[in-house]
């Protein structure tokens, strides 16, 4: 808990310090390396996921987040797709 | 039977060969029979760092081709009883030897030594395959730099997929004063990122360079040095003795940093 607070304070005060930049950049690049996928592939997957989800839901494309994360050597894909509204009667129209 | 340990890093220039030379010497100083194998074919340097370059007559390739026996190719280090070197060939390419041949050589050596350390070449190609094939344990050497940590992670991934039994981390060339100013990633940061257990931290020191100039591993020096002690501690830990980590921050302490540490704002 106390460590968390210090971590947060450090990340405010140390935002410009190169140590934190290095660690953040490494976290991202290692997650991608471990997943073994290239950025184009991710981009393509992202577009296809948007396509599928948009058929059923009205999502906020501007606000969405799509990332590969890694914790304790387990890599996961997480997509955060904010919903504007649920499309009604969609199935009848198409 | 010997413990076969590969020392690897992915990225070149992080101090793999220096660590191998010093760690091998330090383990031999504990009274163990040690053989160091230079697996960096075409770019051999381990003999040079050990100061044995004038005594290399045959190499592992000569032993494999039958030009000499394996025993004849091994160079004994006269300064450190128990320390032996099996040199790599300098004039052949990395593909001059196959993983099967390497395994054969190590199996032949195994009954005669307590420890066999394999100094792995940089990269993840054939030379890497050769170096890891017979090892049960791996020591990953990295420095607190983004490129070195990234490549170390690649290597850890490859070793895990090869079912390496034990993978441990050595952080080399740490500069505590830079970590304290938050201008270098810390050992804890590296452990967070790589998620493998630590076995040693070696601080950056100009004596590493002067000792390599002389061809005398730092651990042989009578004068105590932080990196020398750090490597001797790694040797002990490898051999199963629990040794506390050196306080590398101590030499940098000022009143300000002590107050910072007291309140928990430390680089640790």
């Amino acid at each position: 808990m106390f460590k968390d607070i210090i971590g947060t304070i450090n990340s405010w005060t140390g935002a410009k310090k190169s140590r934190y930049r290095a660690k953040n950049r490494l976290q991202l690049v290692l997650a991608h390396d471990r997943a073994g996928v290239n950025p184009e592939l991710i981009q393509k997957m992202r577009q296809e996921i948007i396509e599928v989800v948009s058929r059923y839901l009205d999502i906020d494309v501007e606000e969405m987040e799509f990332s590969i994360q890694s914790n304790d050597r387990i890599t996961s894909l997480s997509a955060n797709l904010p919903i504007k509204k649920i499309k009604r009667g969609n199935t009848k129209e198409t | 039977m010997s413990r076969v340990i590969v020392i690897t890093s992915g990225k070149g220039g992080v101090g793999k060969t220096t660590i191998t030379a010093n760690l091998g010497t330090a383990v031999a100083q504990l009274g163990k029979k040690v053989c160091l194998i230079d697996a960096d074919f075409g770019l051999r340097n381990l003999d040079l760092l050990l100061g044995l370059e004038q005594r290399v007559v045959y190499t592992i390739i000569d032993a494999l081709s039958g030009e000499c026996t394996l025993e004849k190719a091994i160079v004994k280090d006269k300064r450190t009883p128990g320390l032996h070197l099996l040199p790599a060939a300098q004039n052949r390419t990395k593909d001059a030897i196959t993983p099967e041949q390497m395994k054969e050589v190590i199996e032949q050596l195994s009954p005669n030594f307590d420890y066999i350390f394999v100094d792995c070449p940089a990269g993840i190609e054939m030379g890497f395959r050769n170096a890891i094939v017979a090892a049960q344990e791996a020591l990953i050497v990295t420095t607190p730099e983004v490129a070195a940590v990234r490549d170390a992670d690649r290597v850890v991934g490859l070793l895990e997929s090869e079912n390496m039994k034990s993978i441990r981390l050595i952080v080399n060339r740490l500069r505590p004063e830079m970590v304290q100013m938050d201008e270098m990633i810390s050992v804890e940061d590296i452990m967070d990122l790589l998620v493998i257990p630590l076995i040693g931290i070696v601080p950056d020191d100009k004596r590493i360079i002067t000792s390599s100039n002389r061809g005398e591993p730092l651990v042989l020096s009578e004068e105590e040095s932080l990196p020398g002690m750090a490597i001797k501690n790694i040797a002990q830990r490898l051999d199963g003795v629990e040794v506390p980590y050196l306080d590398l921050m101590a030499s940098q302490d000022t009143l300000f940093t002590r107050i910072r540490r007291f309140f928990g704002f430390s680089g640790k």
Side-chain angles (χ1 to χ4, degrees), chain B residues 27-164:
Chain B
V27 173
Q29 284 173 334
L30 297 176
K32 306 288 172 187
K33 269 195 93 181
V34 177
C35 186
L36 306 179
I37 300 180
D38 192 345
D40 203 347
F41 298 100
L43 292 168
R44 77 161 194 235
N45 278 324
L46 189 53
D47 53 334
L48 202 54
L49 293 186
L50 288 164
L52 297 175
E53 70 278 10
Q54 296 296 331
R55 300 197 31 226
V56 174
V57 181
Y58 298 107
T59 67
I60 188 169
I61 301 280
D62 300 317
L64 278 169
S65 64
E67 273 178 59
C68 72
T69 60
L70 195 52
E71 287 70 38
K72 235 179 168 181
I74 290 174
V75 182
K76 264 191 196 164
D77 191 333
K78 287 173 186 158
R79 290 165 309 186
T80 314
L83 185 64
H84 304 72
L85 168 71
L86 180 56
Q90 175 68 325
N91 51 351
R92 319 257 177 128
T93 62
K94 292 185 191 214
D95 302 320
I97 176 171
T98 65
E100 289 72 34
Q101 287 175 311
M102 187 60 131
K103 208 171 174 181
E104 217 180 280
V105 167
I106 291 176
E107 274 166 13
Q108 269 191 58
L109 292 175
S110 184
N112 304 321
F113 294 97
D114 299 312
Y115 283 88
I116 295 175
F117 291 98
V118 186
D119 183 23
C120 182
I124 47 175
E125 297 87 30
M126 199 57 182
F128 171 76
R129 298 272 154 212
N130 280 333
I132 66 165
V133 67
Q136 304 109 24
E137 298 171 56
L139 300 179
I140 308 286
V141 180
T142 192
T143 58
E145 293 159 274
V146 285
V149 174
R150 183 196 198 170
D151 291 357
D153 188 71
R154 284 277 283 142
V155 167
V156 172
L158 290 170
L159 293 175
E160 280 178 345
S161 67
E162 297 286 330
N163 297 319
M164 185 67 66

Side-chain angles (χ1 to χ4, degrees), chain A residues 35-47:
Chain A
V37 283
N38 61 24
E40 289 110 76
L41 205 94
I42 301 227
Q43 192 56 34
K44 194 159 177 273
M45 193 160 66
R46 179 188 159 117
Q47 274 163 4

Side-chain angles (χ1 to χ4, degrees), chain A residues 4-91:
Chain A
D4 282 351
I5 295 168
I6 290 165
T8 317
I9 294 168
N10 271 343
S11 67
W12 295 336
T13 56
K16 288 196 185 77
K17 296 285 193 174
S18 67
R19 172 185 169 186
Y20 302 103
R21 287 278 291 141
K23 193 175 180 186
N24 289 340
R25 290 174 61 216
L26 273 167
Q27 269 165 342
L28 265 176
V29 80
L30 294 193
H32 280 97
D33 286 353
R34 285 174 195 167
V37 283
N38 61 24
E40 289 110 76
L41 205 94
I42 301 227
Q43 192 56 34
K44 194 159 177 273
M45 193 160 66
R46 179 188 159 117
Q47 274 163 4
E48 285 178 24
I49 289 177
I50 296 176
E51 222 179 276
V52 172
V53 178
S54 319
R55 263 185 246 154
Y56 305 96
L57 303 168
D58 196 358
I59 52 174
D60 192 341
V61 181
E62 302 277 290
E63 290 293 311
M64 66 172 277
E65 283 174 277
F66 201 83
S67 65
I68 288 184
Q69 291 166 338
S70 205
N71 271 319
D72 294 342
R73 303 205 78 81
I74 295 167
T75 305
S76 65
L77 166 73
S78 76
N80 189 358
L81 313 169
I83 300 166
K84 280 188 191 159
K85 63 175 190 236
I86 294 166
K87 290 186 178 176
R88 287 175 194 278
N90 193 3
T91 44

Side-chain angles (χ1 to χ4, degrees), chain B residues 8-9 138-142 152 155-156 159 167-171 196:
Chain B
T8 180
S9 69
L139 300 179
I140 308 286
V141 180
T142 192
V155 167
V156 172
L159 293 175
I167 305 174
R168 287 183 282 185
L169 177 70
I170 296 175
V171 178
I196 54 171

